[in-house]
Amino acid sequence: MPKQTIEQTDVRSKNVLIRVDFNVPLDNATITDDRRIKAAIPTIRSVIDRGGRAILMSHLGRPSGDGYEPALSLKPVAAKLSELLGTDVQCPGELPVSPEAKAAVESMNDADIVVLENLRFDKREKSGDEAFAQSLADLADIYVNDAFGTCHRTDASMYAVPKAMGTKPTVVGFLVEKEIRYLSSALANPERPFTVILGGAKVSDKLPAIENLLPKADNILIGGAMAYTFLKALGHNVGKSRVEEDKLDDAKRILDLAAESKVDLHLPEDHICSTTFSETAGDIEVFEDQIKDGFMGLDIGPKTQVHYATLIKSSKTVVWNGPMGVFEWAPFKVGTKHVAQACADATKEHGATTIVGGGDSAAAAELFNVAADLSHVSTGGGASLEMLEGKPFKALEVIDNA
Ligand code: AMP
């Protein structure tokens, strides 16, 4: 269901409370990567350029919830935002709900920006407390959710605050609108062939997504350590590859489900292996079908790389979540690189819609320099995976529909 967006909302002289994702990496109060701050700017600009008053709120890190912690203060973020926008940005007081914050909001003029302190300095944020939420909602005329990475959670700022807005408008910002458009809408009605690539360390993390996508996808390509639980369930020798023994029955059940449905579920047909889980072990061998005892699979092999790339390039919609191997280490990055490049080629060569989940796959897309060529790289690892699982998000259900 498309959501009401900030663009469609009249904001002039209104207090607009925007839940952003300012959870940036910090080193001694120095921001080491400001991409999340920059990513929030289109929504902030849309409000202030039209004479709205932007009240920004976010969590940062994992404070105890017992009050102000200087190392996790949003004051350096406010300073960075001020620098990026070339305008004054305040971050009053020591708590998100405080007399200082209230006073700062009350004295705002049109186009002013206030950043509330780290929401998690108050433990009522995590517990979803309604009174806390009401205090935040009372500051505003309009609520905006532009924090996709937390959309699968029901923290107060994500769920209780929009609920507490009552009849006042609740809308999504540009970032969340784009995430929904790709992850939810494209999945509901994909152009075919529709190929899903799943990888990563743990099959248990991805089982719900596979089950949800089985009836929807034309191809499911499995890579990463999770492939070895499936291969072992089929009776292959996987050496000492990472296997989740307690998930063998689930893997078998999924393979049976796939065999009964029209989806083609592909497992790696060859593997780049080593005897040690190390970047520099030096004893790398490629095995087909059966992995020799004493070896573990750490990347998909050359035949699988070509096969998967061919399937990806002939698809019209591709969703990718999880690396094909230990892509952080040079000897085992090639499989993930092939997949990343094939996704980019699919979009460049014939306009395929390519969607990459957050977390490791987004990091891999950056590492292999293809992020700009993909249709969409999600900003939320956990949230994008839960969307692939088909789970409803309470934080989005409370937002007004368009
Ligand atoms: P996940 O968080 O489940 O998406 O897993 C990502 C991690 O899985 C990355 O850090 C990879 O290094 C790791 N990984 C991928 N393939 C393998 C493999 N064959 N064996 C061990 N770890 C792997």
Side-chain angles (χ1 to χ4, degrees), residues 29-267:
T30 302
I31 299 157
T32 53
D33 182 346
D34 63 6
R35 274 181 297 179
R36 285 187 168 158
I37 305 174
K38 287 184 173 147
I41 286 180
T43 294
I44 299 169
R45 273 229 164 279
S46 162
V47 170
I48 59 170
D49 287 353
R50 292 182 290 141
R53 306 163 182 200
I55 307 161
L56 311 180
M57 57 176 177
S58 175
H59 75 278
L60 173 58
R62 294 188 173 159
S64 68
D66 293 324
Y68 184 69
E69 293 180 32
L72 292 174
S73 167
L74 280 171
K75 295 189 199 312
V77 174
K80 185 75 196 177
L81 183 64
S82 166
E83 183 191 316
L84 290 168
L85 289 172
T87 182
D88 191 40
V89 177
Q90 292 186 60
C91 182
E94 298 196 336
L95 290 172
V97 172
S98 66
E100 294 84 354
K102 195 160 181 267
V105 168
E106 277 167 3
S107 60
M108 284 172 93
N109 292 313
D110 290 356
D112 277 356
I113 304 173
V114 164
V115 177
L116 301 179
E117 256 301 355
N118 191 342
L119 290 163
R120 290 191 185 166
F121 284 167
D122 192 318
K123 53 163 67 74
R124 294 177 296 169
E125 161 68 357
K126 286 292 312 167
S127 68
D129 186 88
E130 286 179 12
F132 174 70
Q134 193 64 59
S135 310
L136 291 164
D138 286 346
L139 299 174
D141 304 304
I142 297 163
Y143 169 90
V144 185
N145 176 345
D146 209 20
F148 181 72
T150 1
C151 275
H152 57 316
R153 302 195 194 282
T154 49
D155 297 357
S157 61
M158 300 302 299
Y159 179 62
V161 175
K163 258 184 92 179
M165 295 293 289
T167 54
K168 294 184 275 188
T170 56
V171 305
V172 293
F174 291 105
L175 286 176
V176 169
E177 186 277 325
K178 186 170 183 239
E179 295 277 3
I180 298 175
R181 181 154 34 93
Y182 279 102
L183 284 157
S184 167
S185 311
L187 283 187
N189 199 6
E191 241 195 292
R192 299 186 179 278
F194 172 28
T195 296
V196 176
I197 313 154
L198 292 170
K202 284 169 74 187
V203 72
S204 46
D205 289 346
K206 307 278 160 60
L207 282 172
I210 303 179
E211 285 208 65
N212 182 46
L213 294 165
L214 267 182
K216 301 187 170 82
D218 298 299
N219 301 298
I220 296 184
L221 317 182
I222 308 260
M226 63 183 274
Y228 298 107
T229 302
F230 284 101
L231 288 166
K232 183 156 184 187
L234 284 172
H236 289 244
N237 189 0
V238 297
K240 54 180 190 178
S241 304
R242 180 174 178 159
V243 168
E244 281 176 80
E245 298 288 342
D246 61 335
K247 295 292 173 222
L248 287 170
D249 287 344
D250 281 314
K252 186 81 187 60
R253 184 172 53 80
I254 297 236
L255 290 166
D256 290 343
L257 276 174
E260 287 161 17
S261 68
K262 63 171 190 52
V263 70
D264 284 324
L265 192 145
H266 299 266
L267 292 166

Side-chain angles (χ1 to χ4, degrees), residues 381-393:
S384 68
L385 188 58
E386 288 202 18
M387 276 223 162
L388 299 185
E389 290 168 10
K391 281 198 189 156
F393 287 5

Side-chain angles (χ1 to χ4, degrees), residues 371-401:
D373 297 323
L374 302 163
S375 310
H376 179 62
V377 181
S378 176
T379 52
S384 68
L385 188 58
E386 288 202 18
M387 276 223 162
L388 299 185
E389 290 168 10
K391 281 198 189 156
F393 287 5
K394 285 176 82 179
L396 292 178
E397 283 176 346
V398 291
I399 300 291
D400 296 339
N401 292 320

